[in-house]
Amino acid sequence: DAKTTQPPSMDCAEGRAANLPCNHSTISGNEYVYWYRQIHSQGPQYIIHGLKNNETNEMASLIITEDRKSSTLILPHATLRDTAVYYCIVKLGSRLTFGEGTQLTVNP
Amino acid sequence: GAVVSQHPSRVICKSGTSVKIECRSLDFQATTMFWYRQFPKQSLMLMATSNEGSKATYEQGVEKDKFLINHASLTLSTLTVTSAHPEDSSFYICRGQGAMNTEAFFGQGTRLTVV
C-alpha cells in the first residue's frame, strides 16, 4: 500500500471549515483514498473515500488533485465533536494500513 | 450502515490468564475480519486477518499461539489473548468486511489491562 503523509496536528475554530491535507505521491492508478477518524478510545469511523473525482457526503468533502498525489478532507463547519485523529489511507483491496494521522482539535 | 459489535469494551485480567474478545457483525455477513492493536498515542497496527472457515493470517511479529483467532461463522469472530502479560495491555479493535462491502466497519474496541 502507498504511504501517506499527514501533519501531526491541526487546530480549527468551531464553525469554520477544517481542511486536512494528505500526501500520497506513490499512489498507483487503482488505489483508493480513504479517510477515517478516531475519537479517543473508540473504534475508527469511516468518513469518505474516492478514486479520482471529488466526493461529498453528509460528513465531509474529499478533494483529490488531478495527479492524485495528494488530497484534502474538508469538514465544512467543524464542531467540537469533530475533535479526533483523522487518518488518510491509500487502499487497494481490503487491507487497511494506518499511518500516524492528524490530531484535529476544534476550539470553541 | 453496517454495525460490528465488539465486547467487552473494557477488561482487566491478571497476568497468566486468558481473555476472549468477541466481534459480531449485526446486519451483514463478515466474510473477513481484521484484528488491530493500538498502544497509547500510537496508530492502529494490523495483527491478523481471518476469513470465515479458514485459519487466520498473522502479520510479521505477531505470535499466532498467543493471539488465537476464531472465525467459525459469518457473524462472529473472536480473539483470545492467551497467558496475558502486562505488555499485552492495549486497545484491540476488530474490523468486519462483507463480500460486497467497500467500506470497513470497525468494532468499538476493547481496552485490555493486564495486571
Side-chain angles (χ1 to χ4, degrees):
Chain A
D1 293 339
K3 182 180 173 60
T4 61
T5 305
Q6 298 177 253
S9 64
M10 293 183 65
D11 284 90
C12 176
E14 187 179 18
R16 304 297 293 269
N19 298 300
L20 291 90
C22 179
N23 287 324
H24 31 78
S25 59
T26 59
I27 192 171
S28 62
N30 52 357
E31 290 181 308
Y32 285 77
V33 179
Y34 275 72
W35 283 83
Y36 288 84
R37 72 180 183 184
Q38 185 179 26
I39 296 171
H40 184 61
S41 293
Q42 296 183 24
Q45 177 188 22
Y46 166 82
I47 301 173
I48 199 167
H49 74 280
L51 182 63
K52 294 181 182 179
N53 300 321
N54 298 337
E55 302 288 343
T56 295
N57 63 21
E58 64 277 5
M59 289 183 67
S61 295
L62 173 61
I63 308 298
I64 303 174
T65 58
E66 193 169 341
D67 62 7
R68 300 207 330 120
K69 293 186 176 182
S70 65
S71 61
T72 300
L73 178 74
I74 301 173
L75 307 179
H77 305 287
T79 70
L80 299 179
R81 289 177 294 180
D82 292 323
T83 292
V85 178
Y86 287 76
Y87 295 100
C88 167
I89 300 168
V90 174
K91 178 171 172 281
L92 179 63
S94 58
R95 185 184 177 95
L96 283 179
T97 302
F98 285 79
E100 299 304 315
T102 296
Q103 170 67 59
L104 175 68
T105 302
V106 181
N107 301 303
Chain B
V3 175
V4 174
S5 177
Q6 185 171 347
H7 179 81
S9 57
R10 290 178 177 272
V11 59
I12 301 173
C13 71
K14 293 184 177 180
S15 288
T17 62
S18 296
V19 173
K20 180 183 285 188
I21 301 169
E22 291 188 351
C23 278
R24 295 181 181 273
S25 55
L26 299 185
D27 54 358
F28 72 104
Q29 294 182 326
T31 54
T32 304
M33 193 69 78
F34 302 88
W35 288 92
Y36 295 81
R37 178 169 55 183
Q38 185 177 32
F39 292 108
K41 298 189 183 301
Q42 294 186 22
S43 188
L44 285 77
M45 296 297 295
L46 181 64
M47 298 175 66
T49 302
S50 71
N51 292 304
E52 184 264 337
S54 303
K55 288 186 178 180
T57 302
Y58 290 80
E59 296 298 304
Q60 191 173 8
V62 178
E63 300 174 57
K64 63 178 181 179
D65 294 330
K66 181 172 183 59
F67 299 99
L68 302 179
I69 291 173
N70 184 286
H71 193 171
S73 80
L74 289 171
T75 58
L76 174 63
S77 178
T78 62
L79 167 68
T80 301
V81 182
T82 63
S83 187
H85 291 282
E87 55 264 32
D88 298 324
S89 298
S90 188
F91 191 56
Y92 291 87
I93 311 165
C94 63
R95 175 171 75 94
Q97 182 157 329
M100 300 300 294
N101 285 350
T102 57
E103 298 174 22
F105 301 101
F106 284 86
Q108 301 93 326
T110 297
R111 174 73 60 193
L112 170 64
T113 303
V114 185
V115 297

